[in-house]
Structures are given as C-alpha cells and as structure tokens.
C-alpha cells in the first residue's frame, strides 16, 4: 500500500500542465473574441457621411466638415465633446438652418477625421485646429459653440482669440477643475500603463453603452443604432490612439481666464448631468461677466440631443439677428451689438423684480427689467420652454425632491 500512495503522489502534479493549457486556451479565446481592429475608413465614411459632408485639409488632418444652412446668416461653429462627432449637432442644424450658417466638424481623433499628423490632442491644440478651420473657410468672426470637452476648446479659443468670437455658447462644458473628484472610468483606465495600451484594442461596445446610459437622462436615448455609431467611429483608424494620448497628456486648464472674457456668453446645461455637475454651470456663470444661463431640468449631459427643439430655441433667442463685422478688439464696447447686462450696473438684489410664475416645464423663466428689454430690442424673444437666465439669479431651477 505505501508504494502505491507514493506513486499516486508522484503522478498528481502532472495535472497542472493540462490545467494551465486549458486556462491559456480560454484566455486566448477571450482575447480573440474581445479584440477589435480598426474598421476600413471607406466603409465608415459610406455609412456615416452624408451629401453635406466635406473632407478638407485642416492643419494636416483630413477633417470631416459639414457647412450647412443659410450662407448669408450668422456663422456658427459647433464643437463636439470627447469621443463624440458632428452627428450630435444634427438636431440643431435642422432647427437653425434657416437663419444661420452652421459649421460642424469632427475634431482630430474623432468621427471620420481620424489621426492628426501633429500628434497632439489637447484642448490647446484643438483651439489651434479651430483657428485653422475658420481661416480655411474664410470666417472672420463667428459664434462659437462647444459641448463638454468641446466647451473647454471653445472658451479656451475665446480667451485667446476674443476678437474672432462674436458669441460664445457653452453646453455642459468641461474645464472647471474638480475638487478631489475622480476622472471618468474610461479616462482612468486609459492612464494605466499596460491596461490602457491593451484596452484600446478591445471591443468598445460595453463601455460605450455604459457611458451613454450615464450621458442621457432618458434611457430611451440609448438606442442600438446610437451605440453602434459611437462604437464604430471609435474604431476609425487613429481615433483610439488619439484618445489614449489625450487622456495621458491633457493638463488641467486655468479657469481664471474666464474672468477676463468680454464675449457675450450663453451657458446651456442639463440639470440631470451626471458627468459634469450642474454646479459647474453656476461657476461658469459667476466667472464670465454678463453671461446668461439656461438650465433644463429634465435633461442630461447631451441636452442638444435629448431636446433639440427647446435647446435650439434658447440659442435662437440668444443670437442677434445679424453678425457685426470685426472693427475693433472685443474688449471695447460694440455699440452696434446688444450686450448682456453689466453685472456692476445691476440694481441691488433686494430691488430685483420677483420671477414671473410659469407652469412647471423643463425650465423656469425670470422676469426681465425694462432696461434689459430695451437692451435686447430687436432680438427674438426666448420661448418659455427654453429661457435664458442672467447672472443676477442665484438659483435657476430648484433641485428635484
């Protein structure tokens, strides 16, 4: 009996090679299943470009650009956010095309633009890209709109090139430093040395679906078609590498420049934003002198997609009927353009009129003073579904209970 026991003990370790081989096979199978190479660019262009799409050399990048709407109207440049594309502005283009010229673009490392030979994907580099885009399209002055990361690009551009921006519109904008807050999960993963380098080659559908579920307040917005578009555009050649570089090289921005902005500014925000807290909307409003705020109670991080009609109406009410040519630096008063009310000229808070009672809608409207009405004479009236609030109001919409 003892010899047989020794023989069994001697043969037991031989099972480990087989177990390791099975585990290696399973691991290889998971890797092969999860691996997602770049997709053919021509196939994606065929699928996601339309008759208004142009591919223009902008600073060495083959940029996907759409130049739509009224060519004689006020020019508006639309900048999407991180991992987004120009498709998110389609609702606004449809509603503003009769009165404005709308230029949307896929930033380098996004959408159908792909890699940038410059190999820089920071906020500052994107501001340079927007300047080259404007020069290429012969835009002297224009309204500038930015969403999320694109908002940070927009206010950085306006702070460094104020004479070129007639109006600034920030939609759930990034750029305000977080007080000890953690970065979003995809960015944290991208910054990890090995996981980030390998993770960009895995199928993005899972993270895309999870991210969109956080982006939209309405779960119905997370459609299979939208998930597929976001995921496939991430697999456009060069986009995932650009995302990795951006996550690893972007330094925190200095928001102190906002206090020196002298550009008429509208801050548009979804109150149920889970990515950029709505408290940042009030911080932007406090930092940018004379800025106005439109806060939408039932919308999330992408309000222009969730309710394009109401949000576009707020933009329509904010923009002037026509663009004033650039004749002097933006720091000087422009007598031909209606400017937002100067905070320093406001009456004491105790003497402000009480807000006008309105039905419970996505936003609440404050009652304007006679002076404000005279200042905005000739401009379209803001619809009650999307009001614009000025910076005298301490709270635009009460938090949900």
């Amino acid at each position: 009996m003892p010899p047989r026991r020794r023989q069994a003990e001697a043969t037991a370790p031989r099972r480990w090679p087989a177990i390791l081989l099975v585990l290696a096979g399973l691991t290889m199978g998971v890797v092969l299943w999860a691996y997602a190479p770049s997709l053919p660019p021509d196939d994606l262009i065929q699928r996601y470009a339309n008759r208004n799409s142009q591919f223009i050399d902008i600073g060495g990048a083959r940029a996907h650009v759409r130049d739509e709407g009224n060519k004689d109207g006020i020019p508006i440049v639309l900048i999407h956010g991180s991992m987004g594309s120009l498709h998110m502005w389609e609702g606004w283009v449809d509603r503003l095309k009769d009165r404005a010229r709308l230029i949307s673009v896929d930033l380098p490392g996004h959408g159908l633009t792909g890699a940038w030979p410059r190999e820089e994907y920071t906020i500052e580099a994107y501001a340079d890209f927007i300047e080259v885009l404007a020069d290429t399209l012969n835009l002297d002055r224009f309204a500038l709109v930015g969403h999320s990361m694109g908002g940070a690009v927009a206010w950085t551009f306006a702070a460094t090139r104020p004479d070129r921006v007639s109006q600034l519109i920030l939609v759930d904008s990034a750029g305000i430093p977080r007080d000890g807050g953690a970065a979003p999960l995809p960015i944290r993963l991208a910054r990890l040395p090995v996981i980030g380098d390998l993770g960009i080659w895995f199928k993005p559908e899972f993270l895309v679906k999870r991210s969109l579920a956080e982006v939209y307040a309405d779960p119905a917005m997370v459609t299979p078609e939208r998930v597929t578009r976001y995921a496939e555009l991430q697999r456009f050649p060069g986009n995932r590498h650009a995302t990795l570089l951006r996550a690893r090289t972007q330094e925190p921005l200095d928001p102190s420049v906002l206090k020196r902005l002298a550009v008429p500014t509208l801050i548009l925000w979804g109150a149920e934003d889970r990515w950029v807290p709505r408290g940042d909307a009030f911080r932007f409003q406090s930092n940018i002198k004379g800025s106005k705020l439109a806060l939408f109670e039932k919308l999330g991080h992408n309000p222009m997609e969730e309710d394009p009609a109401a949000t576009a109406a707020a933009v329509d009410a904010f923009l002037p009927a026509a663009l004033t040519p650039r004749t002097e630096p933006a720091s000087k008063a422009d007598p031909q353009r209606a400017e937002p009310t100067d905070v320093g000229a406001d009456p004491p808070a105790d003497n402000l009129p009480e807000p006008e009672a309105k039905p419970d809608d996505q936003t609440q409207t404050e009652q304007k003073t006679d002076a404000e009405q005279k200042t905005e004479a000739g401009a379209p009236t803001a619809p009650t579904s999307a009001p614009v609030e000025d910076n005298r109001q301490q709270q635009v919409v009460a938090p949900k209970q």
Side-chain angles (χ1 to χ4, degrees), residues 3 18 22-23 79 87 156 165 167 171 214 229 261-262 283-284 288 295 297 353 395:
V22 170
L23 291 175
I79 311 175
H87 300 87
T156 297
V165 181
Q167 288 83 26
V171 184
E214 297 175 350
R229 189 188 76 217
L261 274 182
R283 296 176 69 180
F284 276 112
I288 303 175
L295 188 65
E297 182 66 22
Q395 187 173 2

Side-chain angles (χ1 to χ4, degrees), residues 152 155 173-183 250-258 269 275-277 279-281 283-284 287:
W155 65 256
S173 177
I176 296 290
R178 301 291 178 86
D179 297 329
Q250 180 62 57
E251 297 294 332
L253 300 177
D254 178 13
S256 66
V257 299
L258 295 171
W269 217 273
W275 276 34
V276 185
D280 282 7
R283 296 176 69 180
F284 276 112
N287 285 329

Side-chain angles (χ1 to χ4, degrees), residues 57-374:
D57 185 293
I58 305 295
R62 185 173 179 267
H64 178 211
V65 180
R66 292 181 186 173
D67 189 347
E68 306 171 84
N70 183 354
K71 301 304 180 183
D72 296 323
I74 180 172
I76 305 174
V77 175
L78 304 161
I79 311 175
H80 63 76
S82 179
M83 298 188 186
S85 68
L86 56 72
H87 300 87
M88 61 178 49
W89 301 113
E90 290 176 344
W92 277 17
V93 170
D94 185 56
R95 288 160 177 82
L96 297 172
K97 62 185 178 182
D98 290 338
R99 66 157 298 191
R101 176 185 176 188
L102 298 125
I103 299 106
S104 55
V105 60
D106 286 338
L107 292 173
H110 295 80
L112 299 176
T113 294
W116 196 6
R118 177 170 166 171
E119 281 285 282
E120 290 184 60
Y121 302 96
T122 62
I123 301 299
E124 297 81 2
Y126 282 144
D128 294 343
F129 174 85
I130 294 300
E131 182 174 37
V132 178
L133 170 69
D135 291 342
T136 302
L137 298 179
N138 298 314
L139 300 176
D140 184 34
R141 294 182 75 235
F142 48 90
L144 188 58
V145 180
H147 167 252
S148 194
M149 180 196 75
V153 175
W155 65 256
T156 297
F157 184 96
T160 54
R161 304 155 177 92
D163 58 324
R164 302 202 66 173
V165 181
S166 59
Q167 288 83 26
L168 177 65
I169 301 175
L170 304 178
V171 184
D172 293 71
S173 177
I176 296 290
R178 301 291 178 86
D179 297 329
L185 177 62
I187 294 179
R188 297 200 306 271
L189 292 177
R191 289 173 177 171
L192 296 176
V194 177
I195 294 177
D197 292 288
L198 296 178
I200 62 172
W201 298 107
F202 290 168
K203 290 180 179 178
E205 282 80 2
F206 171 76
L207 282 178
V208 166
K209 191 171 184 179
R210 172 176 172 170
S211 296
L212 292 183
E214 297 175 350
V215 161
Y216 300 113
D218 181 4
M221 293 292 294
V222 188
T223 63
E225 294 78 15
R226 183 169 274 115
V227 171
T228 298
R229 189 188 76 217
Y230 271 83
E232 289 190 342
L233 289 179
Q234 286 185 29
R235 294 173 64 184
F236 191 91
N239 283 358
R240 288 181 289 186
H241 176 65
T243 299
L244 187 66
L245 288 180
R246 185 170 64 255
R248 291 178 172 179
T249 59
Q250 180 62 57
E251 297 294 332
L253 300 177
D254 178 13
S256 66
V257 299
L258 295 171
K259 295 184 179 295
R260 298 192 295 272
L261 274 182
V263 177
T265 302
L266 170 65
I267 302 159
L268 194 154
W269 217 273
E272 296 189 18
D273 191 335
R274 285 176 281 180
W275 276 34
V276 185
R278 72 176 181 177
D280 282 7
F282 294 98
R283 296 176 69 180
F284 276 112
Q285 187 186 27
S286 174
N287 285 329
I288 303 175
K289 184 179 180 180
S291 60
K292 298 175 180 292
L293 172 63
L295 188 65
F296 293 83
E297 182 66 22
K298 299 178 182 178
L299 304 183
H301 185 63
N302 288 23
M304 68 288 189
E305 287 189 286
E306 288 195 84
D307 195 341
T311 52
V315 173
D316 185 48
F318 171 73
L319 293 175
L323 180 66
T324 304
R326 177 171 57 167
T327 57
E328 57 185 359
S331 60
K332 297 181 180 180
D334 185 351
Q336 301 299 322
R337 185 178 69 244
E339 300 288 347
T341 304
D342 189 342
V343 178
D346 286 338
D350 292 339
N351 295 331
L352 290 178
E354 291 295 326
E356 181 182 356
K358 294 289 182 181
D360 184 18
D361 203 337
Q362 285 185 326
T363 53
Q364 296 177 341
T365 312
E366 76 167 334
Q367 186 175 358
K368 294 181 177 294
T369 65
D370 292 337
E372 288 173 309
Q373 292 173 358
K374 292 178 182 179

